[in-house]
Amino acid sequence: MMAEDHEFSSVEEILIEAAEHKHCILYLNYKGLSELPTDLFQEPICNSVERLFLKRNQLTSVPADIGKLTRLVELYLHSNSLAYLPE
């Protein structure tokens, strides 16, 4: 039920696996992300993800599209450089 955050897995590989298997837990820790990938907000991912882990990336904001993750109950953003969060 989760897309693993293997050391050598790319963000694209993780998102493909999440879409194929409708994972509810998604790990995108330590991926050097400066923005969230747009595929995250597309079906089927947006309708299945309940927990999203984004630890130690380079995020400065979270897009308003985060609201498209209709089942999201946990968003872990530790160790980013957030300056903006949508309402």
Side-chain angles (χ1 to χ4, degrees):
M1 296 300 281
M2 72 177 116
E4 294 289 339
D5 184 17
H6 298 294
E7 182 179 353
F8 301 108
S9 296
S10 71
V11 171
E12 182 178 281
E13 291 169 329
I14 293 169
L15 292 175
I16 289 169
E17 182 180 330
E20 288 176 358
H21 301 287
K22 297 183 181 176
H23 292 299
C24 61
I25 302 171
L26 192 55
Y27 292 97
L28 296 174
N29 299 314
Y30 301 95
K31 297 298 181 190
L33 297 173
S34 58
E35 59 185 37
L36 296 180
T38 57
D39 288 349
L40 185 61
F41 308 113
Q42 306 298 318
E43 291 185 21
I45 296 173
C46 68
N47 295 323
S48 60
V49 172
E50 296 176 10
R51 289 174 169 71
L52 178 58
F53 295 88
L54 295 158
K55 178 178 161 180
R56 292 198 181 258
N57 279 290
Q58 300 169 4
L59 300 171
T60 57
S61 65
V62 174
D65 282 348
I66 198 76
K68 291 181 179 179
L69 303 178
T70 58
R71 298 187 64 187
L72 190 67
V73 294
E74 183 177 5
L75 178 61
Y76 192 77
L77 294 163
H78 187 272
S79 298
N80 280 280
S81 300
L82 295 174
Y84 172 77
L85 293 173
E87 290 193 35

